Amino acid sequence: MSPTLPRVTPDDVILTGDRTTGPLHLGHYVGSLANRVVLQDVCTQYLLLADQQALTDNMGDYLKVRANVLEVALDYLAVGIDPAKSTVFIQSLVPELSELASYYLNLVTVARLERNPTIKEEIKLRGFERNIPVGFLTYPAAQAADITAFKATVVPVGADQIPMIEQTNEIVRRFNASVDAPVLVECRAEVPRVGRLPGVDGQAKMSKSLGNAIPLSASPDDIRDAVKKMYTDPQHLRVEDPGRVEGNVVFTYLDAFEPDANALAELKARYRRGGLADSVVKKQLEERLQETLAPIRARRAEYAREPQAVWDLLKAGTRRARDTAAQTLAEVKGAMGLTYF
Amino acid sequence: MSPTLPRVTPDDVILTGDRTTGPLHLGHYVGSLANRVVLQDVCTQYLLLADQQALTDNMGDYLKVRANVLEVALDYLAVGIDPAKSTVFIQSLVPELSELASYYLNLVTVARLERNPTIKEEIKLRGFERNIPVGFLTYPAAQAADITAFKATVVPVGADQIPMIEQTNEIVRRFNASVDAPVLVECRAEVPRVGRLPGVDGQAKMSKSLGNAIPLSASPDDIRDAVKKMYTDPQHLRVEDPGRVEGNVVFTYLDAFEPDANALAELKARYRRGGLADSVVKKQLEERLQETLAPIRARRAEYAREPQAVWDLLKAGTRRARDTAAQTLAEVKGAMGLTYF
């Protein structure tokens, strides 16, 4: 697949990452992982394993959160994230982030957080109403800490997350104004131009909890089964009928995974004209997915055999991340005069 | 003066402290400082210079917050707090507190915080309405971190602060239940039985911002002037008239500062009968205040001449406090499985 990259320059610093609530899937791959593999050669990149953030609404399930730190790290390594190029780190081991967030909480009002459309939507989705864990409401301040600690200039996000980035920049401006110095750096949201990969059932979002995801560690059989179950054009009952390509999950996936654009255009034309069986198109998609996932699966299995080596990589990344975050925190506290000895 | 001490045992651990928004005054002395001087010989005592907490509603005035760390420390030393017995530390230099608080935020709902009567009252007092800084709303979680980090068992508070202690214990129970281990320790509020010292103008609360306070560093002239201005019985117009002792600010102060209970009882009886001039009673109070404050002022001036020595004491206390807080944090994170390397 050819990712459609955010526009970055060598001077940019990217901060992105994943909540460690489950292994990653093809949707993550298309939406962000593939980009990260390319971007790590272009600019500075920090990748956050967000265990602490995952706990904001998984406090009762902390063992899951903990266990998936390694799973997500394996996914990163499997797709080609290079820890020598990208700084991969564990959020809960960078306490400077909590400390920064605690100061940022003074720069945001409750009303402002409650107006945040992303938070509003999530509160509705999760049925919290007024019983929102405070850590969930205050998450934008924590995210601002994650971003600003590394002076990130670019944060790749879905369109629904843009208000979070605006909140971060509000905090940046407010902090800089209150200490009258350009300590913190504003960032820009980069929304990937590639559409979100739908679930194999055609639902808008691929998600482990919806049971419509293909994990990056899927076996060849899992992949074959997933493609078999995949929704096509419900009106395309006989092979000779014309078929619809738009909204056809198999073609949406081919858009992401078929590298030969001309061949794909021709395939679509044949499908539209009629005479092309779903099974043929699915066969082609399955091949592409098997090709894409085979090396990922192999690399994942290789790293999984040596978990200690993975922990060592994370340890080194976390140390690098802490150094940078500590430097920013020192500047923030220094600007407020909170340096005593 | 004879403080009415909270009931503590040698096994108790006290956590208390002050926001560093201004130097301390006689009201602090009567309400808590005098107790602390005695309690430091009875049990373990941690004294928090709450600069970080002061910032929650003083972000625009951080220089004041910073400057008053030294002022409050001087007040502590002046009244007889012994840094070898009490651990005096600077909150912003113990980042473990922010980290603990960040996890506690997941254990409290927004609705629960908004129901907290202390927070409700403060929100009304400060006219915040919905424009509450988040850091102000979430302050009970931060306070829970301050208390639990030291496994404090006793927190001396005013009656209005009892809901804050209940909130802390709720967090303790919820955390321990969620990790199924008695990691955190519940505490009890101890409300001093001595009444709050009124302002020299008779207002219920002595407060620097109300301009009715006698600071611990008051000069002999300041003390004389303050007593001169002090409210007595407005009906006591002529010396020969009977006077009221109840609600008479001068007698309320004598209750706190006259060590000779029999002499004070006789003085009150004479005032009630009539024939005792306000000026005589004020003269006696002034003498007691001068006696009380003279050694405090002298010690304060002595320490103030060597600020570096004070900083060194705070540095050592802060290091001790960090060690304890880091130990608790390690247990908290360990219980959640957040130990990776």
Side-chain angles (χ1 to χ4, degrees), chain B residues 74-75 77-80 215-220 223 289-306:
Chain B
L74 287 172
D75 288 331
L77 295 167
V79 299
L216 291 176
S217 55
S219 71
I223 295 168
L289 294 185
Q290 298 286 11
E291 283 163 19
T292 303
L293 288 176
I296 293 177
R297 182 173 50 241
R299 272 197 301 267
R300 200 181 194 285
E302 208 173 303
Y303 282 111
R305 270 192 298 274
E306 300 276 8

PDB file of all heavy atoms in Angstrom, chain B residues 74-75 77-80 215-220 223 289-306:
ATOM      1  N   LEU B  74      10.160  30.353  56.941  1.00  0.00           N
ATOM      2  CA  LEU B  74      10.682  31.179  58.047  1.00  0.00           C
ATOM      3  C   LEU B  74       9.687  31.206  59.205  1.00  0.00           C
ATOM      4  O   LEU B  74      10.069  31.129  60.376  1.00  0.00           O
ATOM      5  CB  LEU B  74      10.960  32.606  57.550  1.00  0.00           C
ATOM      6  CG  LEU B  74      12.193  32.773  56.655  1.00  0.00           C
ATOM      7  CD1 LEU B  74      12.246  34.189  56.077  1.00  0.00           C
ATOM      8  CD2 LEU B  74      13.474  32.467  57.431  1.00  0.00           C
ATOM      9  N   ASP B  75       8.397  31.313  58.875  1.00  0.00           N
ATOM     10  CA  ASP B  75       7.378  31.287  59.931  1.00  0.00           C
ATOM     11  C   ASP B  75       7.441  29.973  60.705  1.00  0.00           C
ATOM     12  O   ASP B  75       7.342  29.966  61.929  1.00  0.00           O
ATOM     13  CB  ASP B  75       5.981  31.479  59.330  1.00  0.00           C
ATOM     14  CG  ASP B  75       5.751  32.914  58.842  1.00  0.00           C
ATOM     15  OD1 ASP B  75       6.361  33.835  59.414  1.00  0.00           O
ATOM     16  OD2 ASP B  75       4.973  33.098  57.886  1.00  0.00           O
ATOM     17  N   LEU B  77       9.989  27.884  61.118  1.00  0.00           N
ATOM     18  CA  LEU B  77      11.186  27.829  61.962  1.00  0.00           C
ATOM     19  C   LEU B  77      11.040  28.788  63.145  1.00  0.00           C
ATOM     20  O   LEU B  77      11.422  28.467  64.274  1.00  0.00           O
ATOM     21  CB  LEU B  77      12.413  28.187  61.122  1.00  0.00           C
ATOM     22  CG  LEU B  77      12.726  27.178  60.010  1.00  0.00           C
ATOM     23  CD1 LEU B  77      13.738  27.766  59.029  1.00  0.00           C
ATOM     24  CD2 LEU B  77      13.257  25.870  60.616  1.00  0.00           C
ATOM     25  N   ALA B  78      10.437  29.937  62.886  1.00  0.00           N
ATOM     26  CA  ALA B  78      10.316  30.953  63.931  1.00  0.00           C
ATOM     27  C   ALA B  78       9.452  30.472  65.097  1.00  0.00           C
ATOM     28  O   ALA B  78       9.749  30.750  66.253  1.00  0.00           O
ATOM     29  CB  ALA B  78       9.733  32.238  63.332  1.00  0.00           C
ATOM     30  N   VAL B  79       8.394  29.718  64.797  1.00  0.00           N
ATOM     31  CA  VAL B  79       7.513  29.282  65.895  1.00  0.00           C
ATOM     32  C   VAL B  79       8.061  28.054  66.609  1.00  0.00           C
ATOM     33  O   VAL B  79       7.551  27.670  67.652  1.00  0.00           O
ATOM     34  CB  VAL B  79       6.071  28.975  65.418  1.00  0.00           C
ATOM     35  CG1 VAL B  79       5.423  30.220  64.818  1.00  0.00           C
ATOM     36  CG2 VAL B  79       6.051  27.811  64.431  1.00  0.00           C
ATOM     37  N   GLY B  80       9.091  27.441  66.042  1.00  0.00           N
ATOM     38  CA  GLY B  80       9.689  26.314  66.741  1.00  0.00           C
ATOM     39  C   GLY B  80       9.547  24.967  66.053  1.00  0.00           C
ATOM     40  O   GLY B  80       9.813  23.918  66.638  1.00  0.00           O
ATOM     41  N   PRO B 215       0.479  39.516  61.411  1.00  0.00           N
ATOM     42  CA  PRO B 215       1.447  38.518  60.929  1.00  0.00           C
ATOM     43  C   PRO B 215       2.416  38.130  62.034  1.00  0.00           C
ATOM     44  O   PRO B 215       2.636  38.899  62.969  1.00  0.00           O
ATOM     45  CB  PRO B 215       2.182  39.233  59.790  1.00  0.00           C
ATOM     46  CG  PRO B 215       1.890  40.678  59.946  1.00  0.00           C
ATOM     47  CD  PRO B 215       0.645  40.819  60.745  1.00  0.00           C
ATOM     48  N   LEU B 216       2.975  36.932  61.894  1.00  0.00           N
ATOM     49  CA  LEU B 216       3.925  36.454  62.903  1.00  0.00           C
ATOM     50  C   LEU B 216       5.173  37.323  62.955  1.00  0.00           C
ATOM     51  O   LEU B 216       5.876  37.349  63.961  1.00  0.00           O
ATOM     52  CB  LEU B 216       4.321  34.999  62.609  1.00  0.00           C
ATOM     53  CG  LEU B 216       3.209  33.981  62.825  1.00  0.00           C
ATOM     54  CD1 LEU B 216       3.668  32.590  62.428  1.00  0.00           C
ATOM     55  CD2 LEU B 216       2.756  33.994  64.288  1.00  0.00           C
ATOM     56  N   SER B 217       5.443  38.037  61.889  1.00  0.00           N
ATOM     57  CA  SER B 217       6.624  38.896  61.840  1.00  0.00           C
ATOM     58  C   SER B 217       6.294  40.333  62.253  1.00  0.00           C
ATOM     59  O   SER B 217       7.106  41.235  62.076  1.00  0.00           O
ATOM     60  CB  SER B 217       7.197  38.876  60.420  1.00  0.00           C
ATOM     61  OG  SER B 217       6.182  39.239  59.498  1.00  0.00           O
ATOM     62  N   ALA B 218       5.096  40.556  62.807  1.00  0.00           N
ATOM     63  CA  ALA B 218       4.677  41.917  63.185  1.00  0.00           C
ATOM     64  C   ALA B 218       5.693  42.547  64.145  1.00  0.00           C
ATOM     65  O   ALA B 218       6.206  41.892  65.058  1.00  0.00           O
ATOM     66  CB  ALA B 218       3.293  41.864  63.838  1.00  0.00           C
ATOM     67  N   SER B 219       5.950  43.828  63.939  1.00  0.00           N
ATOM     68  CA  SER B 219       6.868  44.556  64.826  1.00  0.00           C
ATOM     69  C   SER B 219       6.119  44.920  66.114  1.00  0.00           C
ATOM     70  O   SER B 219       4.887  44.873  66.159  1.00  0.00           O
ATOM     71  CB  SER B 219       7.337  45.837  64.131  1.00  0.00           C
ATOM     72  OG  SER B 219       6.250  46.758  64.068  1.00  0.00           O
ATOM     73  N   PRO B 220       6.844  45.296  67.182  1.00  0.00           N
ATOM     74  CA  PRO B 220       6.162  45.724  68.409  1.00  0.00           C
ATOM     75  C   PRO B 220       5.132  46.832  68.133  1.00  0.00           C
ATOM     76  O   PRO B 220       4.026  46.801  68.701  1.00  0.00           O
ATOM     77  CB  PRO B 220       7.315  46.228  69.283  1.00  0.00           C
ATOM     78  CG  PRO B 220       8.513  45.438  68.823  1.00  0.00           C
ATOM     79  CD  PRO B 220       8.315  45.243  67.349  1.00  0.00           C
ATOM     80  N   ILE B 223       2.014  45.417  66.573  1.00  0.00           N
ATOM     81  CA  ILE B 223       1.188  44.713  67.551  1.00  0.00           C
ATOM     82  C   ILE B 223       0.397  45.730  68.375  1.00  0.00           C
ATOM     83  O   ILE B 223      -0.813  45.582  68.584  1.00  0.00           O
ATOM     84  CB  ILE B 223       2.079  43.831  68.463  1.00  0.00           C
ATOM     85  CG1 ILE B 223       2.746  42.730  67.629  1.00  0.00           C
ATOM     86  CG2 ILE B 223       1.254  43.215  69.604  1.00  0.00           C
ATOM     87  CD1 ILE B 223       3.855  41.981  68.360  1.00  0.00           C
ATOM     88  N   LEU B 289       0.737  39.383  73.783  1.00  0.00           N
ATOM     89  CA  LEU B 289       1.112  39.217  72.366  1.00  0.00           C
ATOM     90  C   LEU B 289       2.583  39.596  72.160  1.00  0.00           C
ATOM     91  O   LEU B 289       3.310  38.912  71.421  1.00  0.00           O
ATOM     92  CB  LEU B 289       0.208  40.069  71.463  1.00  0.00           C
ATOM     93  CG  LEU B 289      -1.263  39.661  71.412  1.00  0.00           C
ATOM     94  CD1 LEU B 289      -2.017  40.517  70.381  1.00  0.00           C
ATOM     95  CD2 LEU B 289      -1.407  38.176  71.039  1.00  0.00           C
ATOM     96  N   GLN B 290       2.991  40.654  72.825  1.00  0.00           N
ATOM     97  CA  GLN B 290       4.413  41.034  72.688  1.00  0.00           C
ATOM     98  C   GLN B 290       5.299  39.897  73.205  1.00  0.00           C
ATOM     99  O   GLN B 290       6.296  39.551  72.574  1.00  0.00           O
ATOM    100  CB  GLN B 290       4.715  42.334  73.462  1.00  0.00           C
ATOM    101  CG  GLN B 290       3.952  43.574  72.978  1.00  0.00           C
ATOM    102  CD  GLN B 290       4.463  44.156  71.645  1.00  0.00           C
ATOM    103  OE1 GLN B 290       5.273  43.526  70.942  1.00  0.00           O
ATOM    104  NE2 GLN B 290       3.952  45.320  71.272  1.00  0.00           N
ATOM    105  N   GLU B 291       4.923  39.311  74.341  1.00  0.00           N
ATOM    106  CA  GLU B 291       5.700  38.199  74.897  1.00  0.00           C
ATOM    107  C   GLU B 291       5.722  36.996  73.955  1.00  0.00           C
ATOM    108  O   GLU B 291       6.732  36.310  73.814  1.00  0.00           O
ATOM    109  CB  GLU B 291       5.080  37.716  76.224  1.00  0.00           C
ATOM    110  CG  GLU B 291       5.358  38.591  77.435  1.00  0.00           C
ATOM    111  CD  GLU B 291       4.381  38.290  78.574  1.00  0.00           C
ATOM    112  OE1 GLU B 291       3.759  37.184  78.554  1.00  0.00           O
ATOM    113  OE2 GLU B 291       4.222  39.145  79.452  1.00  0.00           O
ATOM    114  N   THR B 292       4.546  36.732  73.363  1.00  0.00           N
ATOM    115  CA  THR B 292       4.453  35.579  72.459  1.00  0.00           C
ATOM    116  C   THR B 292       5.277  35.811  71.195  1.00  0.00           C
ATOM    117  O   THR B 292       5.998  34.915  70.738  1.00  0.00           O
ATOM    118  CB  THR B 292       2.977  35.321  72.053  1.00  0.00           C
ATOM    119  OG1 THR B 292       2.204  35.120  73.237  1.00  0.00           O
ATOM    120  CG2 THR B 292       2.858  34.123  71.132  1.00  0.00           C
ATOM    121  N   LEU B 293       5.139  37.001  70.652  1.00  0.00           N
ATOM    122  CA  LEU B 293       5.734  37.229  69.329  1.00  0.00           C
ATOM    123  C   LEU B 293       7.198  37.655  69.373  1.00  0.00           C
ATOM    124  O   LEU B 293       7.911  37.493  68.382  1.00  0.00           O
ATOM    125  CB  LEU B 293       4.895  38.252  68.544  1.00  0.00           C
ATOM    126  CG  LEU B 293       3.554  37.681  68.063  1.00  0.00           C
ATOM    127  CD1 LEU B 293       2.710  38.756  67.366  1.00  0.00           C
ATOM    128  CD2 LEU B 293       3.799  36.520  67.072  1.00  0.00           C
ATOM    129  N   ALA B 294       7.654  38.182  70.498  1.00  0.00           N
ATOM    130  CA  ALA B 294       9.047  38.655  70.554  1.00  0.00           C
ATOM    131  C   ALA B 294      10.054  37.545  70.202  1.00  0.00           C
ATOM    132  O   ALA B 294      10.894  37.737  69.311  1.00  0.00           O
ATOM    133  CB  ALA B 294       9.355  39.258  71.924  1.00  0.00           C
ATOM    134  N   PRO B 295       9.969  36.377  70.855  1.00  0.00           N
ATOM    135  CA  PRO B 295      10.954  35.326  70.493  1.00  0.00           C
ATOM    136  C   PRO B 295      10.730  34.799  69.073  1.00  0.00           C
ATOM    137  O   PRO B 295      11.695  34.442  68.382  1.00  0.00           O
ATOM    138  CB  PRO B 295      10.699  34.226  71.529  1.00  0.00           C
ATOM    139  CG  PRO B 295       9.323  34.470  72.049  1.00  0.00           C
ATOM    140  CD  PRO B 295       9.082  35.949  71.962  1.00  0.00           C
ATOM    141  N   ILE B 296       9.474  34.753  68.630  1.00  0.00           N
ATOM    142  CA  ILE B 296       9.188  34.302  67.253  1.00  0.00           C
ATOM    143  C   ILE B 296       9.833  35.268  66.266  1.00  0.00           C
ATOM    144  O   ILE B 296      10.504  34.866  65.312  1.00  0.00           O
ATOM    145  CB  ILE B 296       7.646  34.203  67.032  1.00  0.00           C
ATOM    146  CG1 ILE B 296       7.072  33.080  67.903  1.00  0.00           C
ATOM    147  CG2 ILE B 296       7.312  34.018  65.564  1.00  0.00           C
ATOM    148  CD1 ILE B 296       5.554  32.927  67.820  1.00  0.00           C
ATOM    149  N   ARG B 297       9.622  36.566  66.523  1.00  0.00           N
ATOM    150  CA  ARG B 297      10.189  37.574  65.628  1.00  0.00           C
ATOM    151  C   ARG B 297      11.711  37.501  65.611  1.00  0.00           C
ATOM    152  O   ARG B 297      12.349  37.599  64.571  1.00  0.00           O
ATOM    153  CB  ARG B 297       9.719  38.957  66.054  1.00  0.00           C
ATOM    154  CG  ARG B 297      10.202  40.091  65.154  1.00  0.00           C
ATOM    155  CD  ARG B 297       9.560  41.412  65.545  1.00  0.00           C
ATOM    156  NE  ARG B 297       9.682  41.634  66.980  1.00  0.00           N
ATOM    157  CZ  ARG B 297       8.668  41.766  67.831  1.00  0.00           C
ATOM    158  NH1 ARG B 297       7.431  41.733  67.413  1.00  0.00           N
ATOM    159  NH2 ARG B 297       8.898  41.952  69.110  1.00  0.00           N
ATOM    160  N   ALA B 298      12.271  37.297  66.795  1.00  0.00           N
ATOM    161  CA  ALA B 298      13.738  37.257  66.885  1.00  0.00           C
ATOM    162  C   ALA B 298      14.293  36.055  66.115  1.00  0.00           C
ATOM    163  O   ALA B 298      15.244  36.174  65.335  1.00  0.00           O
ATOM    164  CB  ALA B 298      14.163  37.185  68.349  1.00  0.00           C
ATOM    165  N   ARG B 299      13.649  34.888  66.324  1.00  0.00           N
ATOM    166  CA  ARG B 299      14.122  33.686  65.604  1.00  0.00           C
ATOM    167  C   ARG B 299      13.927  33.843  64.101  1.00  0.00           C
ATOM    168  O   ARG B 299      14.765  33.439  63.302  1.00  0.00           O
ATOM    169  CB  ARG B 299      13.370  32.438  66.097  1.00  0.00           C
ATOM    170  CG  ARG B 299      14.004  31.767  67.307  1.00  0.00           C
ATOM    171  CD  ARG B 299      13.481  30.349  67.484  1.00  0.00           C
ATOM    172  NE  ARG B 299      12.038  30.328  67.655  1.00  0.00           N
ATOM    173  CZ  ARG B 299      11.420  30.346  68.839  1.00  0.00           C
ATOM    174  NH1 ARG B 299      12.124  30.380  69.952  1.00  0.00           N
ATOM    175  NH2 ARG B 299      10.102  30.329  68.912  1.00  0.00           N
ATOM    176  N   ARG B 300      12.798  34.457  63.737  1.00  0.00           N
ATOM    177  CA  ARG B 300      12.525  34.652  62.312  1.00  0.00           C
ATOM    178  C   ARG B 300      13.617  35.516  61.677  1.00  0.00           C
ATOM    179  O   ARG B 300      14.144  35.217  60.602  1.00  0.00           O
ATOM    180  CB  ARG B 300      11.153  35.299  62.142  1.00  0.00           C
ATOM    181  CG  ARG B 300      10.562  35.115  60.748  1.00  0.00           C
ATOM    182  CD  ARG B 300       9.202  35.784  60.617  1.00  0.00           C
ATOM    183  NE  ARG B 300       8.485  35.338  59.424  1.00  0.00           N
ATOM    184  CZ  ARG B 300       8.770  35.713  58.195  1.00  0.00           C
ATOM    185  NH1 ARG B 300       9.797  36.511  57.967  1.00  0.00           N
ATOM    186  NH2 ARG B 300       8.060  35.247  57.177  1.00  0.00           N
ATOM    187  N   ALA B 301      13.968  36.597  62.367  1.00  0.00           N
ATOM    188  CA  ALA B 301      14.978  37.524  61.838  1.00  0.00           C
ATOM    189  C   ALA B 301      16.331  36.810  61.709  1.00  0.00           C
ATOM    190  O   ALA B 301      17.067  37.006  60.738  1.00  0.00           O
ATOM    191  CB  ALA B 301      15.098  38.735  62.747  1.00  0.00           C
ATOM    192  N   GLU B 302      16.592  35.964  62.683  1.00  0.00           N
ATOM    193  CA  GLU B 302      17.850  35.230  62.677  1.00  0.00           C
ATOM    194  C   GLU B 302      17.932  34.309  61.444  1.00  0.00           C
ATOM    195  O   GLU B 302      18.912  34.313  60.709  1.00  0.00           O
ATOM    196  CB  GLU B 302      17.909  34.397  63.954  1.00  0.00           C
ATOM    197  CG  GLU B 302      19.281  34.086  64.482  1.00  0.00           C
ATOM    198  CD  GLU B 302      19.155  33.399  65.837  1.00  0.00           C
ATOM    199  OE1 GLU B 302      18.522  34.000  66.746  1.00  0.00           O
ATOM    200  OE2 GLU B 302      19.632  32.249  65.962  1.00  0.00           O
ATOM    201  N   TYR B 303      16.871  33.518  61.247  1.00  0.00           N
ATOM    202  CA  TYR B 303      16.850  32.634  60.076  1.00  0.00           C
ATOM    203  C   TYR B 303      16.854  33.442  58.778  1.00  0.00           C
ATOM    204  O   TYR B 303      17.455  33.034  57.787  1.00  0.00           O
ATOM    205  CB  TYR B 303      15.623  31.712  60.107  1.00  0.00           C
ATOM    206  CG  TYR B 303      15.762  30.546  61.052  1.00  0.00           C
ATOM    207  CD1 TYR B 303      15.000  30.474  62.219  1.00  0.00           C
ATOM    208  CD2 TYR B 303      16.649  29.505  60.781  1.00  0.00           C
ATOM    209  CE1 TYR B 303      15.105  29.400  63.095  1.00  0.00           C
ATOM    210  CE2 TYR B 303      16.773  28.428  61.645  1.00  0.00           C
ATOM    211  CZ  TYR B 303      15.994  28.376  62.801  1.00  0.00           C
ATOM    212  OH  TYR B 303      16.119  27.314  63.646  1.00  0.00           O
ATOM    213  N   ALA B 304      16.151  34.559  58.774  1.00  0.00           N
ATOM    214  CA  ALA B 304      16.035  35.355  57.546  1.00  0.00           C
ATOM    215  C   ALA B 304      17.389  35.909  57.119  1.00  0.00           C
ATOM    216  O   ALA B 304      17.609  36.194  55.943  1.00  0.00           O
ATOM    217  CB  ALA B 304      15.029  36.497  57.742  1.00  0.00           C
ATOM    218  N   ARG B 305      18.292  36.063  58.090  1.00  0.00           N
ATOM    219  CA  ARG B 305      19.631  36.551  57.740  1.00  0.00           C
ATOM    220  C   ARG B 305      20.442  35.492  56.995  1.00  0.00           C
ATOM    221  O   ARG B 305      21.427  35.804  56.345  1.00  0.00           O
ATOM    222  CB  ARG B 305      20.383  36.965  59.018  1.00  0.00           C
ATOM    223  CG  ARG B 305      20.169  38.432  59.401  1.00  0.00           C
ATOM    224  CD  ARG B 305      21.150  38.882  60.488  1.00  0.00           C
ATOM    225  NE  ARG B 305      21.006  38.159  61.733  1.00  0.00           N
ATOM    226  CZ  ARG B 305      20.146  38.473  62.718  1.00  0.00           C
ATOM    227  NH1 ARG B 305      19.346  39.522  62.586  1.00  0.00           N
ATOM    228  NH2 ARG B 305      20.081  37.758  63.811  1.00  0.00           N
ATOM    229  N   GLU B 306      20.030  34.227  57.116  1.00  0.00           N
ATOM    230  CA  GLU B 306      20.773  33.128  56.477  1.00  0.00           C
ATOM    231  C   GLU B 306      19.851  32.307  55.581  1.00  0.00           C
ATOM    232  O   GLU B 306      19.652  31.115  55.831  1.00  0.00           O
ATOM    233  CB  GLU B 306      21.379  32.189  57.548  1.00  0.00           C
ATOM    234  CG  GLU B 306      22.352  32.847  58.491  1.00  0.00           C
ATOM    235  CD  GLU B 306      23.768  32.920  57.922  1.00  0.00           C
ATOM    236  OE1 GLU B 306      23.945  32.583  56.721  1.00  0.00           O
ATOM    237  OE2 GLU B 306      24.665  33.306  58.678  1.00  0.00           O
TER     238      GLU B 306
END
